[in-house]
C-alpha cells in the first residue's frame, strides 16, 4: 500500500511538473512570437539547460531560441554560450552559422569567427555570407586601419539609454530616442524592456551647439514606436516609419509601414499611408531623394535577395510608382537597411557586404552598378553602425552606433579630403627595363582640364600632389621612343591619406648596331673596313667605315630586316642578315670575319639571274656584279668567273649555255672597268656537280638549284 501511495504521489508530482514545464514553454514561445525577447530570454535559458544537461532528451529548439533571444537584447556572452552548445552537438543550421559568426565578429572575437567560418564553409559552401567573408578576409585589416579622413565624436545630447537615426530638420536635427516615456501609460517595449521610441528635436545654439532634445508632439506622434523620419530639403514634407499591429495566422504581429505628412500653415497634416504598405511584410526606413520626388526605403517583401532589401519609388502623376529593387549590386541575402541619399551618393547599412562586424555603413555613387565602398574605421566598428545622414557635399553629418556598450548613440562625423600624392617611374622597355633619367612627364588633370609638366629626376622618378576625386592621365615623349600607353589614375577611391603609384613605359623604336670586322681565323682587328648596311624591310643603304678598333655603330629601326656587308682591300667580303624584332637589348653585337685573299680561293657569286635556257643577264643581277667589279679593281685581282648548270638536258647544250652565261657576266664586268686581261670566262656545264643529281637520278628542284651556280676563283 505504501509503495502504491508513493507511486501515485510521484506520478502526480511528475504530471504537475510536466504541466508547469509546458506552461513555461507556451509562455516563452508567446513572448518570442511577439518579439518580446527581454521576457523570453530567461525562460528559454531555463528550458535550454534541461536539453543541455539531459543529453538531448528535451527540446533543443529552446537552446536555439535562448541564443537568439539573448543576442537580440545584447546579452552576447549568454548567446555565445548557447550557440556553442549547438555547435558542439552539430545542431547549427545554416542560419545559426551566420548568426553565430555575426555575433563573434560583433564582439571582436575574429579568431574564433574565422575558425567557425571554416566549418561553415565546409557544410554550406554556397552560402553567400560565408563565401563573402572567406573571399575577402584578406582585406579585413584594411577596414580596421584608422582612417585619417574621418573624425567622429559623440553628441552631448545623447541620453545613454538609446538615441539614433538623426534627420536634418529646420535649424537642427530630429532623432529617435528611448529616453522619454511620452505616453500617459508607463509602458515599455517587450524587445528589450526600454521605453517606446519617440522623436526628439534638438536645435542649434548661437555657438552651433545642439540643445537637449524635446519630444515632438505633432500629428505623427503615437504611443508605439515612431521613426526613423526624413524630410525634404525644404522641410515641408515628411516620411515616417511607424509600427502597425497586424494579424498573422490569428496572432498579433508588428509590421513596419511608411506614412507621409505635409506642413501646411505651420502644421503637419494628418498622416497618409504609403500606397505600397502591406500587412504581410515590413516597409520602412524611408528617406527622400535630393529633389523630393523619390523615396528610398527598406522592405522584406517577397522577391528580394533575402532579409531586407533596398527599394525606391517615384512620385509621378500624383501617386507613388511600384517599388523598384536597387538590384544585386546593392542588396544582399542579409539585411540592407537605413538608406540615405545626397545628390550623388547612396548611403546605407548592411550585414551582407564585407564589413568589420554587425551593421556597417556603405556608400555608392548613384547610378547603375556603382562600386560599393565600406567607409571603414572609425565610421564603422564591430558593433552596429547605421542611420547615417550627410550634407550634400558629403563632408560631414551624423550617424548612429551602439559601439562600446551596445547602447545606441548619435555621433557627429566630418570628412576631410584625404591628402593624395603620386609617385611614378619613367622606364625604357628594354630587357630588363631601364630608368629614363632627367626627362619630363606631362600630367593632365582630366577633371579640371589643366596640365602640368613634371620633372623626372636622375633616377627616373617623378611625383606630384593630386586632388581628391579627380582623374589624372600621364604621358611622355622621347626621340627614338614611343609611349606604350598613357597612365590613368583616379583618386575617387582614396579613403585616407594615400600615395598612389604607377609607371610609364617608353618603347624604343630604334636599336644600336655595333659591327666589328676581324680577320677570319686569327680574329685580328681590321681597321677602316668599309661596311654597307642595307634595309630589307624599309629600303635604305648606309655606307660606314670602321674605326681603328675595327668597329662601327649605327642606329636602325626595330621590327625590321637588314643585310650587312664588310669589305677591305686584301680580304674577301663577308656578309650576314639580322632582324631587330627579336631584340630587347639596347645594342646588337655583330661580327663579320673577312678571310685573306689567297690564290685558288673560290666563292659563290649570289643573285645572278638569267631567263630560262638563256644567257642574257636579268637586271636584278647588276647589284651583285657591281660589287664584284669593285672587289676585283680594288684588290687588282685576276679571276676566273665560272658558270655551272644542273644535269638536266644534254651535256653539250649545257656546256655551251654555261660558257655563254659566264661570258655575259665577264662582258658586264669589262663594261664596269675591269681590264679584260684580269678576268676569264669559263663554262663547266654539268661537269662539276656538287651533289648526287646526275643523269638518271631523281632530285628535288632545290637540289638541282644548288648545281646551277656562278663561282669566282682567284687566279
Amino acid at each position: 500500500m505504501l509503495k502504491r501511495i508513493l507511486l501515485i504521489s510521484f506520478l502526480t508530482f511528475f504530471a504537475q511538473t510536466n504541466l508547469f514545464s509546458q506552461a513555461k514553454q507556451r509562455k516563452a514561445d508567446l513572448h518570442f512570437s511577439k518579439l518580446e525577447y527581454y521576457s523570453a530570454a530567461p525562460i528559454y535559458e531555463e528550458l535550454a539547460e534541461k536539453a543541455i544537461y539531459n543529453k538531448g532528451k528535451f527540446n533543443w529548439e529552446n537552446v536555439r531560441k535562448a541564443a537568439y533571444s539573448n543576442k537580440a537584447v545584447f546579452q552576447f556572452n549568454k548567446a555565445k554560450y548557447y550557440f556553442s552548445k549547438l555547435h558542439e552537438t552539430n545542431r547549427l543550421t545554416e542560419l545559426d552559422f551566420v548568426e553565430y559568426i555575426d555575433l563573434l565578429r560583433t564582439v571582436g572575437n575574429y579568431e574564433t569567427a574565422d575558425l567557425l567560418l571554416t566549418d561553415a564553409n565546409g557544410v554550406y559552401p554556397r552560402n553567400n555570407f560565408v563565401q563573402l567573408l572567406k573571399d575577402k578576409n584578406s582585406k579585413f585589416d584594411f577596414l580596421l586601419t584608422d582612417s585619417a579622413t574621418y573624425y567622429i565624436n559623440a553628441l552631448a545630447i545623447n541620453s545613454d539609454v538609446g538615441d539614433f537615426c538623426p534627420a536634418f530638420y529646420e535649424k537642427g536635427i530630429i532623432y529617435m530616442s528611448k529616453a522619454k516615456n511620452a505616453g500617459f501609460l508607463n509602458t515599455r517595449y517587450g524587445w528589450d524592456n526600454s521605453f517606446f521610441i519617440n522623436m526628439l528635436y534638438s536645435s542649434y545654439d548661437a555657438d552651433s551647439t545642439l540643445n537637449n532634445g524635446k519630444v515632438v508632439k505633432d500629428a505623427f506622434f503615437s504611443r508605439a514606436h515612431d521613426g526613423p523620419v526624413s524630410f525634404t530639403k525644404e522641410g515641408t514634407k515628411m516620411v515616417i516609419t511607424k509600427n502597425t499591429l497586424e494579424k498573422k495566422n490569428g496572432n498579433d504581429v508588428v509590421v513596419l509601414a511608411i506614412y507621409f505628412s505635409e506642413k501646411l500653415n505651420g502644421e503637419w497634416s494628418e498622416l497618409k499611408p504609403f500606397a505600397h504598405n502591406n500587412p504581410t511584410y515590413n516597409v520602412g526606413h524611408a528617406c527622400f531623394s535630393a529633389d523630393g520626388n523619390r523615396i528610398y526605403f527598406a522592405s522584406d517583401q517577397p522577391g528580394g535577395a533575402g532579409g531586407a532589401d533596398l527599394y525606391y519609388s517615384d512620385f509621378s502623376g500624383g501617386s507613388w510608382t511600384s517599388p523598384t529593387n536597387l538590384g544585386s549590386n546593392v542588396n544582399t541575402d542579409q539585411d540592407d537597411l537605413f538608406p540615405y541619399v545626397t545628390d550623388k551618393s547612396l548611403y546605407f547599412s548592411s550585414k551582407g557586404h564585407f564589413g568589420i562586424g554587425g551593421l556597417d555603413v556603405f556608400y555608392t555613387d548613384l547610378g547603375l552598378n556603382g562600386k560599393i565602398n565600406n567607409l571603414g574605421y572609425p565610421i564603422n566598428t564591430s558593433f552596429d553602425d547605421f542611420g547615417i545622414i550627410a550634407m550634400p557635399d558629403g563632408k560631414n553629418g551624423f550617424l548612429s552606433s551602439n559601439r562600446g556598450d551596445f547602447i545606441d548613440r548619435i555621433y557627429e562625423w566630418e570628412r576631410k579630403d584625404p591628402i593624395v600624392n603620386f609617385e611614378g617611374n619613367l622606364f625604357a622597355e628594354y630587357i630588363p627595363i631601364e630608368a629614363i633619367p632627367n626627362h619630363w612627364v606631362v600630367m593632365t588633370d582630366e577633371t579640371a582640364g589643366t596640365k602640368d609638366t613634371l620633372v623626372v629626376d636622375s633616377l627616373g622618378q617623378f611625383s606630384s600632389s593630386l586632388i581628391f576625386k579627380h582623374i589624372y592621365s600621364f604621358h611622355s615623349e622621347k626621340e627614338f621612343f614611343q609611349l606604350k600607353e598613357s597612365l590613368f589614375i583616379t583618386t575617387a577611391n582614396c579613403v585616407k591619406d594615400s600615395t598612389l603609384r604607377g609607371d610609364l613605359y617608353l618603347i624604343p623604336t630604334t636599336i644600336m648596331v655595333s659591327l666589328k670586322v676581324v680577320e677570319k681565323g686569327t680574329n685580328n682587328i681590321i681597321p677602316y673596313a668599309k661596311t654597307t648596311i642595307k634595309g630589307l624591310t624599309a629600303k635604305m643603304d648606309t655606307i660606314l667605315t670602321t674605326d681603328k678598333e675595327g668597329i662601327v655603330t649605327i642606329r636602325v629601326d626595330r621590327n625590321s630586316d637588314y643585310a650587312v656587308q664588310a669589305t677591305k682591300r686584301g680580304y674577301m667580303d663577308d656578309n650576314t642578315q639580322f632582324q631587330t624584332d627579336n631584340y630587347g637589348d639596347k645594342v646588337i653585337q655583330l661580327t663579320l670575319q673577312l678571310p685573306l685573299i689567297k690564290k685558288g680561293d673560290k666563292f659563290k657569286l649570289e643573285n645572278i639571274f638569267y631567263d630560262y635556257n638563256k644567257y642574257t643577264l636579268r637586271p636584278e643581277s647588276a647589284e651583285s656584279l657591281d660589287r664584284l667589279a669593285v672587289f676585283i679593281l680594288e684588290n687588282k685581282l685576276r679571276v676566273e668567273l665560272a658558270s655551272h648548270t644542273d644535269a638536266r638536258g644534254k651535256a653539250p647544250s649545257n656546256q655551251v649555255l654555261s660558257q655563254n652565261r659566264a661570258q655575259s657576266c665577264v662582258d658586264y664586268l669589262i663594261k664596269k672597268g675591269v681590264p679584260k686581261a684580269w678576268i676569264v670566262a669559263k663554262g663547266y656545264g654539268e661537269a662539276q656537280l656538287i651533289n648526287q643529281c646526275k643523269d638518271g637520278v631523281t632530285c628535288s628542284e632545290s637540289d638541282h638549284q644548288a648545281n646551277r651556280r656562278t663561282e669566282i676563283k682567284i687566279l
Side-chain angles (χ1 to χ4, degrees):
M1 177 64 70
L2 180 61
K3 290 182 178 180
R4 184 178 178 185
I5 292 172
L6 290 174
L7 177 61
I8 293 171
S9 298
F10 174 76
L11 292 173
T12 301
F13 174 77
F14 179 79
Q16 290 174 340
T17 301
N18 190 43
L19 288 173
F20 183 68
S21 178
Q22 291 176 4
K24 279 189 175 183
Q25 183 73 60
R26 287 194 297 272
K27 188 175 182 181
D29 291 344
L30 181 61
H31 283 309
F32 194 87
S33 67
K34 291 183 176 181
L35 311 183
E36 296 172 349
Y37 301 115
Y38 180 83
S39 300
I43 306 175
Y44 278 128
E45 289 172 27
E46 183 180 341
L47 296 172
E49 294 304 316
K50 293 182 179 181
I52 294 171
Y53 290 108
N54 287 276
K55 298 181 180 180
K57 294 180 180 179
F58 287 82
N59 185 2
W60 271 82
E61 188 63 22
N62 290 325
V63 180
R64 179 170 288 104
K65 289 183 176 179
Y68 280 79
S69 297
N70 278 291
K71 184 173 186 284
V73 294
F74 304 118
Q75 295 296 313
F76 285 156
N77 284 334
K78 289 182 179 180
K80 186 167 65 171
Y81 167 75
Y82 291 115
F83 274 124
S84 70
K85 292 301 178 183
L86 292 171
H87 187 215
E88 290 170 7
T89 56
N90 294 319
R91 286 185 166 90
L92 285 177
T93 66
E94 185 172 2
L95 179 60
D96 295 342
F97 266 113
V98 170
E99 292 294 329
Y100 191 12
I101 292 170
D102 175 66
L103 183 154
L104 292 169
R105 297 180 85 243
T106 299
V107 298
N109 196 339
Y110 297 110
E111 186 174 343
T112 304
D114 288 345
L115 293 174
L116 192 65
L117 186 64
T118 301
D119 291 348
N121 188 60
V123 181
Y124 301 106
R126 295 184 179 180
N127 183 278
N128 292 336
F129 179 75
V130 171
Q131 196 63 40
L132 177 75
L133 295 182
K134 179 176 176 291
D135 291 344
K136 294 194 173 182
N137 243 358
S138 60
K139 299 181 180 179
F140 181 71
D141 290 341
F142 176 77
L143 294 182
L144 276 181
T145 302
D146 193 350
S147 171
T149 304
Y150 289 95
Y151 301 85
I152 185 168
N153 292 293
L155 295 180
I157 63 173
N158 283 309
S159 64
D160 293 340
V161 295
D163 306 281
F164 55 94
C165 287
F168 295 118
Y169 180 64
E170 293 184 346
K171 297 180 179 179
I173 58 171
I174 280 182
Y175 60 98
M176 310 301 113
S177 179
K178 298 178 182 179
K180 305 286 185 180
N181 183 26
F184 62 88
L185 295 176
N186 188 24
T187 55
R188 290 181 179 269
Y189 182 35
W191 183 300
D192 57 2
N193 200 41
S194 63
F195 289 135
F196 279 90
I197 298 169
N198 290 287
M199 290 188 293
L200 276 65
Y201 173 64
S202 178
S203 60
Y204 282 105
D205 269 340
D207 62 355
S208 298
T209 300
L210 285 168
N211 294 307
N212 287 331
K214 295 181 179 180
V215 175
V216 178
K217 295 185 177 181
D218 283 289
F220 44 82
F221 168 76
S222 73
R223 285 174 47 207
H225 286 312
D226 293 312
V229 67
S230 175
F231 301 89
T232 56
K233 189 183 299 183
E234 298 77 18
T236 57
K237 294 180 181 179
M238 176 195 68
V239 59
I240 185 172
T241 301
K242 296 179 71 66
N243 284 3
T244 60
L245 197 62
E246 305 289 350
K247 288 286 187 180
K248 186 175 182 180
N249 298 327
N251 298 318
D252 291 337
V253 293
V254 175
V255 176
L256 298 183
I258 294 172
Y259 292 84
F260 297 96
S261 182
E262 192 169 355
K263 203 169 192 179
L264 302 170
N265 300 320
E267 298 292 330
W268 288 101
S269 66
E270 184 178 344
L271 294 177
K272 294 182 179 180
F274 180 44
H276 304 290
N277 290 336
N278 193 294
T280 62
Y281 53 77
N282 295 290
V283 180
H285 298 182
C287 71
F288 283 107
S289 61
D291 63 6
N293 292 323
R294 172 178 286 185
I295 59 168
Y296 293 83
F297 60 93
S299 176
D300 58 359
Q301 62 185 269
D309 278 13
L310 297 183
Y311 295 80
Y312 71 82
S313 175
D314 292 320
F315 192 73
S316 177
S319 62
W320 293 97
T321 61
S322 296
T324 299
N325 190 292
L326 264 64
S328 59
N329 183 55
V330 171
N331 291 313
T332 67
D333 59 0
Q334 304 295 309
D335 286 333
D336 304 290
L337 306 164
F338 301 103
Y340 183 81
V341 293
T342 62
D343 288 337
K344 297 180 179 179
S345 299
L346 165 69
Y347 297 83
F348 64 100
S349 290
S350 175
K351 286 187 177 182
H353 292 283
F354 183 68
I356 299 175
L359 284 170
D360 271 20
V361 180
F362 299 83
Y363 81 93
T364 181
D365 291 336
L366 286 173
L368 184 64
N369 294 328
K371 180 182 178 183
I372 305 298
N373 301 279
N374 187 306
L375 290 177
Y377 184 84
I379 294 293
N380 288 317
T381 63
S382 64
F383 300 83
D384 286 334
D385 308 291
F386 60 100
I388 193 170
I389 59 175
M391 296 299 288
D393 61 4
K395 290 191 174 183
N396 61 293
F398 301 90
L399 81 148
S400 318
S401 177
N402 66 356
R403 62 190 64 192
D405 55 7
F406 303 106
I407 294 175
D408 293 329
R409 293 180 179 86
I410 299 173
Y411 294 80
E412 186 175 21
W413 61 269
E414 181 181 5
R415 177 180 65 79
K416 294 184 178 179
D417 287 348
I419 298 172
V420 185
N421 293 309
F422 179 80
E423 294 178 354
N425 295 276
L426 182 61
F427 289 117
E429 199 170 62
Y430 295 117
I431 301 176
I433 59 173
E434 183 177 298
I436 299 178
N438 306 318
H439 200 57
W440 53 265
V441 168
V442 173
M443 178 181 74
T444 302
D445 185 333
E446 302 288 350
T447 306
T450 59
K451 293 187 177 183
D452 192 15
T453 300
L454 309 180
V455 176
V456 179
D457 65 17
S458 60
L459 299 177
Q461 299 173 347
F462 59 95
S463 61
S464 179
S465 59
L466 306 179
I467 300 173
F468 182 54
K469 288 193 174 181
H470 278 219
I471 297 173
Y472 294 85
S473 65
F474 299 82
H475 82 274
S476 185
E477 298 173 3
K478 187 176 175 63
E479 187 180 13
F480 306 126
F481 290 86
Q482 67 181 20
L483 182 64
K484 184 175 183 179
E485 60 183 352
S486 293
L487 174 66
F488 287 88
I489 295 292
T490 177
T491 60
N493 299 323
C494 296
V495 295
K496 56 186 176 181
D497 293 350
S498 306
T499 298
L500 305 180
R501 292 178 170 82
D503 299 322
L504 276 178
Y505 294 89
L506 295 180
I507 301 173
T509 57
T510 63
I511 188 168
M512 297 302 297
V513 177
S514 177
L515 176 62
K516 186 175 184 180
V517 181
V518 300
E519 182 181 306
K520 186 174 182 179
T522 66
N523 284 331
N524 291 333
I525 292 170
I526 301 178
Y528 313 118
K530 185 174 76 171
T531 62
T532 302
I533 298 182
K534 181 178 181 180
L536 303 179
T537 306
K539 299 300 181 182
M540 60 153 284
D541 264 329
T542 303
I543 298 175
L544 298 170
T545 302
T546 61
D547 60 17
K548 64 180 179 180
E549 301 297 329
I551 295 174
V552 66
T553 58
I554 183 174
R555 184 186 298 276
V556 298
D557 291 337
R558 290 180 184 257
N559 302 310
S560 298
D561 297 336
Y562 293 90
V564 59
Q565 181 182 37
T567 64
K568 175 74 173 181
R569 185 174 182 180
Y571 294 89
M572 303 284 285
D573 296 351
D574 190 19
N575 57 76
T576 188
Q577 293 185 1
F578 64 94
Q579 296 176 318
T580 57
D581 55 345
N582 298 325
Y583 294 93
D585 296 331
K586 295 177 67 177
V587 179
I588 297 174
Q589 304 279 356
L590 295 176
T591 300
L592 290 182
Q593 297 179 324
L594 307 187
L596 279 169
I597 297 175
K598 297 177 183 177
K599 182 180 178 179
D601 283 345
K602 288 183 180 181
F603 61 89
K604 184 179 178 182
L605 191 61
E606 302 288 353
N607 300 322
I608 303 299
F609 303 103
Y610 309 89
D611 288 332
Y612 176 71
N613 208 28
K614 294 182 180 180
Y615 54 85
T616 302
L617 284 167
R618 287 165 54 178
E620 54 264 43
S621 305
E623 183 178 348
S624 184
L625 290 172
D626 288 343
R627 287 200 302 270
L628 178 60
V630 173
F631 173 70
I632 294 172
L633 290 169
E634 284 187 350
N635 291 283
K636 298 182 179 179
L637 300 175
R638 184 168 178 268
V639 301
E640 175 188 274
L641 191 148
S643 179
H644 302 267
T645 68
D646 59 36
R648 292 178 296 185
K650 295 182 178 180
S653 297
N654 285 335
Q655 176 64 42
V656 172
L657 180 61
S658 64
Q659 183 63 46
N660 288 336
R661 284 180 171 178
Q663 191 61 52
S664 293
C665 291
V666 169
D667 291 343
Y668 183 91
L669 292 170
I670 291 172
K671 289 179 181 179
K672 287 294 180 179
V674 177
K676 186 176 181 180
W678 289 12
I679 186 165
V680 175
K682 182 66 175 176
Y684 288 94
E686 58 184 82
Q688 294 185 1
L689 301 176
I690 60 173
N691 55 33
Q692 79 284 2
C693 297
K694 59 185 179 179
D695 290 337
V697 176
T698 301
C699 289
S700 66
E701 182 58 36
S702 60
D703 287 338
H704 285 302
Q705 178 63 45
N707 288 317
R708 299 194 300 271
R709 65 196 188 278
T710 301
E711 292 179 336
I712 304 298
K713 179 180 180 182
I714 308 299
L715 299 179

